[in-house]
Amino acid sequence: MDSKKVYIKTHGCQMNEYDSSKMLDLLKSKQNFEIAESEDEADLLILNTCSIREKAQEKVFHQIGRWKKFKTKKPDLKIAIGGCVASQEGEKIVKRAPAVDVVFGPQTLHKLPELYEEKIKTDRTQIDISFPKLEKFNFLPSAEDPGPSAFVSVMEGCNKYCSFCVVPHTRGHEVSRNVIDILNEVSVLADGGAREIYFLGQNVNNFKGAYKGESASLAKLIELTAKIQNIERIRFTTSHPYEFRDDLVEVYDKVPELVSHVHLPVQSGSDRILRLMRRRYSVERYLDLIDKIRSIRPEMSFSSDFIVGFPNETEKDFAATMQVVEEVKFDESFSFIYSPRPNTSASEMSDNVGIEEKKERLEILQSRLTELSFGYSRRMVGTIQNCLITASSKKDPSELQARTVNNRIVNFKPRDFKVGDFVNLLIRDAYSNSLRGEVVNAVL
Ligand code: SAH
Ligand code: F3S
């Protein structure tokens, strides 16, 4: 069979990146697809979409508009739309953009090869955005060449219904995978060269698996994973502060493979706004949790997500957010202007903060977050960091790129090292998006 070519464009979060890599694995193994170097040589164009904010959603229709033009030159070209916009909009996508051939959701991506085949056979547009619980994991092949750092999805969906968030509507309710299946997947990845495992879930710390007839939390899963040969680093994201239980805090004491960095989105520093957001924790509880983790691992760094300009957010609420930033001294964080999303309860509140006000707050917050983040980088200069080599440098292929524990990129001259090795690097310089290092032989 002649091989066809697929091009996938991914918007949004790490879960989407993971899903896209699984789509590729599937199409390669089931239908002999190869990866297209560019959009214009593809037989199948896939857009894995994100609907977390309005702008992300609008990008989808712009992209379809561009891709549609390729069909004039190549009438057999197919366009498939997956991810959260697909899940949210379903048939409406095809109504607005009839050039689309297949629409599938995050929970039906394993059906993509069949949907594509069916479209070719019948010439009828295929839409499947159902939520069959965890079924997809039984159909996904293992990654052939996972690279040194591999994502593993351990749970799907979310039932928190934070008032601003569309995720429970697009990805469905929380379902956790079986621990044995996850450990098997990790072992295969480790055999294929993975040294770092990145557990993914929308609300990953509420993972509720089963192991040897007993329930197993994320803490248990981390302990079991650390025992797998060659797995030397473990990360997980995204955590909700509400369910960050004591056993997970204690794992920082028990498992050295668990990195000293965690993404723990606070969203706002005002209790009043946190209540309106339905976040289920107070600022005090959030700060207590940070203290607890830091008392076990003083070197721990934290990153966060923030939303500014949530309905009813006053100057005073915003000042409270800035106060939390100063108390925690966050590392590399993300911040966004509130964006009303379909079906969410916040979208019914009157959005009474002016856009100029929102932009101003975002700028103040972001400039402080950037400053703090750069402060971390600067303080790393002169220290020796144990790093995992993840790729060749983008700018200079004679150099390699490695990642520190807090996930900073370090570029360096390789000597005898290669991708997948751990190396001790003396940090020489800090730039806004990366560090420069030099190989040292010191043992850490
Ligand atoms: N499960 C994660 C968040 C996933 S969404 C958690 O519990 O925090 C990723 C980030 O997008 C969120 O942390 C939030 O900061 C941002 N976000 C989500 N919905 C948003 C909206 N409607 N407007 C602006 N930002 C939003
Ligand atoms: Fe969204 Fe809140 Fe879940 S931010 S993903 S509803 S924890």
Side-chain angles (χ1 to χ4, degrees), residues 52 157-168 174 202-203 238-240 243 265 267 277-279 307:
I52 200 81
C158 183
N159 346 334
K160 287 281 160 306
Y161 289 96
C162 298
S163 64
F164 53 82
C165 185
V166 79
V167 170
E174 282 172 24
Q202 249 68 41
N203 200 8
T238 300
S239 301
H240 191 298
E243 272 138 348
Q267 311 297 357
M277 288 178 166
R278 290 175 39 98
R279 287 293 285 182
I307 295 179

Side-chain angles (χ1 to χ4, degrees), residues 8-190:
I8 305 188
K9 190 164 182 130
T10 308
H11 294 165
C13 62
Q14 285 131 324
M15 187 67 97
N16 265 13
E17 281 178 40
Y18 175 85
D19 285 351
S20 291
S21 73
K22 290 295 167 193
M23 290 172 206
L24 263 185
D25 292 342
L26 261 176
L27 291 165
K28 277 197 227 160
S29 73
K30 285 208 165 175
Q31 281 173 326
N32 206 21
F33 264 94
E34 282 174 16
I35 301 174
E37 296 292 328
S38 62
E39 295 163 328
D40 53 359
E41 64 172 52
D43 302 285
L44 172 61
L45 290 165
I46 302 175
L47 184 60
N48 193 6
T49 63
C50 169
S51 64
I52 200 81
R53 285 169 289 278
E54 196 178 1
K55 268 195 191 148
Q57 191 173 324
E58 274 313 303
K59 267 164 70 179
V60 176
F61 292 99
H62 287 148
Q63 186 64 64
I64 301 173
R66 282 194 48 237
W67 281 355
K68 187 172 79 175
K69 296 185 189 129
F70 291 117
K71 284 196 164 187
T72 350
K73 268 198 242 147
K74 207 175 197 177
D76 288 340
L77 171 70
K78 301 287 175 266
I79 299 177
I81 308 296
C84 288
V85 177
S87 169
Q88 184 185 292
E89 302 291 312
E91 263 173 53
K92 279 192 244 160
I93 294 191
V94 184
K95 286 217 176 95
R96 183 164 159 190
V100 170
D101 301 284
V102 175
V103 179
F104 61 103
Q107 307 305 342
T108 47
L109 66 90
H110 58 292
K111 295 189 183 167
L112 178 59
E114 288 162 44
L115 294 167
Y116 172 74
E117 278 292 302
E118 199 57 24
K119 165 69 202 186
I120 289 182
K121 248 197 269 162
T122 63
D123 201 31
R124 273 204 300 272
T125 311
Q126 301 295 310
I127 302 173
D128 189 344
I129 50 165
S130 56
F131 288 161
K133 274 195 179 179
L134 289 184
E135 176 189 295
K136 73 172 176 195
F137 289 102
N138 301 330
F139 294 88
L140 298 177
S142 314
E144 278 168 26
D145 179 14
S149 176
F151 290 140
V152 175
S153 168
V154 299
M155 54 128 37
E156 288 275 326
C158 183
N159 346 334
K160 287 281 160 306
Y161 289 96
C162 298
S163 64
F164 53 82
C165 185
V166 79
V167 170
H169 308 277
T170 58
R171 286 202 172 249
H173 280 181
E174 282 172 24
V175 263
S176 297
R177 289 175 67 195
N178 189 297
V179 172
I180 294 290
D181 292 349
I182 298 169
L183 296 177
N184 285 340
E185 184 172 339
V186 173
S187 297
V188 172
L189 292 167

Side-chain angles (χ1 to χ4, degrees), residues 306 308 322 325 335 361-369:
F306 296 88
V308 299
M322 294 304 291
V325 170
S335 41
R361 289 179 193 169
L362 185 71
E363 211 179 294
I364 294 169
L365 175 62
Q366 286 187 336
S367 82
R368 184 60 185 138
L369 290 172

Side-chain angles (χ1 to χ4, degrees), residues 176-427:
S176 297
R177 289 175 67 195
N178 189 297
V179 172
I180 294 290
D181 292 349
I182 298 169
L183 296 177
N184 285 340
E185 184 172 339
V186 173
S187 297
V188 172
L189 292 167
D191 290 346
R195 297 287 164 268
E196 173 178 275
I197 293 297
Y198 219 128
F199 286 135
L200 297 181
Q202 249 68 41
N203 200 8
V204 71
N205 49 321
N206 200 31
F207 172 79
K208 287 184 177 140
Y211 182 67
K212 293 192 172 165
E214 284 183 24
S215 61
S217 61
L218 181 66
K220 178 79 183 168
L221 179 65
I222 290 170
E223 284 181 53
L224 293 167
T225 304
K227 292 187 186 138
I228 296 176
Q229 213 180 4
N230 289 331
I231 295 303
E232 297 181 49
R233 272 187 185 175
I234 303 171
R235 302 178 185 276
F236 57 89
T237 201
T238 300
S239 301
H240 191 298
Y242 175 68
E243 272 138 348
F244 211 105
R245 300 188 186 88
D246 285 349
D247 66 337
L248 189 54
V249 175
E250 283 153 20
V251 181
Y252 283 95
D253 202 17
K254 292 188 205 159
V255 180
E257 288 84 355
L258 184 59
V259 299
S260 294
H261 172 75
V262 73
H263 187 61
L264 196 58
V266 65
Q267 311 297 357
S268 165
S270 151
D271 284 341
R272 204 176 66 84
I273 296 296
L274 287 174
R275 262 196 307 278
L276 290 174
M277 288 178 166
R278 290 175 39 98
R279 287 293 285 182
R280 307 166 195 230
Y281 52 83
S282 61
V283 176
E284 192 185 351
R285 223 183 107 185
Y286 181 86
L287 294 175
D288 280 351
L289 175 59
I290 300 260
D291 281 350
K292 255 199 257 176
I293 305 173
R294 276 194 176 142
S295 70
I296 295 177
R297 289 260 187 110
E299 70 275 29
M300 202 67 197
S301 70
F302 296 87
S303 54
S304 176
D305 295 338
F306 296 88
I307 295 179
V308 299
F310 190 78
N312 295 295
E313 186 189 68
T314 61
E315 273 295 329
K316 206 169 142 211
D317 295 318
F318 177 65
T321 297
M322 294 304 291
Q323 179 63 31
V324 170
V325 170
E326 293 312 319
E327 286 188 40
V328 180
K329 300 266 185 299
F330 288 103
D331 197 358
E332 308 215 301
S333 296
F334 302 94
S335 41
F336 317 97
I337 286 180
Y338 166 70
S339 165
R341 304 283 56 221
N343 306 316
T344 59
S345 58
S347 67
E348 283 156 28
M349 299 176 192
S350 84
D351 191 353
N352 50 4
V353 188
I355 184 67
E356 287 310 318
E357 186 72 45
K358 291 182 197 226
K359 284 187 186 160
E360 219 170 277
R361 289 179 193 169
L362 185 71
E363 211 179 294
I364 294 169
L365 175 62
Q366 286 187 336
S367 82
R368 184 60 185 138
L369 290 172
T370 309
E371 216 171 69
L372 284 171
S373 199
F374 193 54
Y376 272 92
S377 297
R378 260 200 324 256
R379 281 192 297 280
M380 289 167 85
V381 174
T383 64
I384 296 173
Q385 301 282 329
N386 187 241
C387 301
L388 173 60
I389 305 175
T390 47
S392 300
S393 155
K394 283 196 192 104
K395 279 194 201 135
D396 177 355
S398 73
E399 295 205 334
L400 289 177
Q401 248 182 22
R403 293 267 178 174
T404 62
V405 161
N406 58 351
N407 235 350
R408 287 224 176 4
I409 294 173
V410 194
N411 291 302
F412 70 103
K413 297 247 181 272
R415 293 212 213 150
D416 292 335
F417 291 93
K418 58 182 188 321
V419 170
D421 290 342
F422 279 88
V423 59
N424 289 330
L425 295 174
L426 171 65
I427 306 303

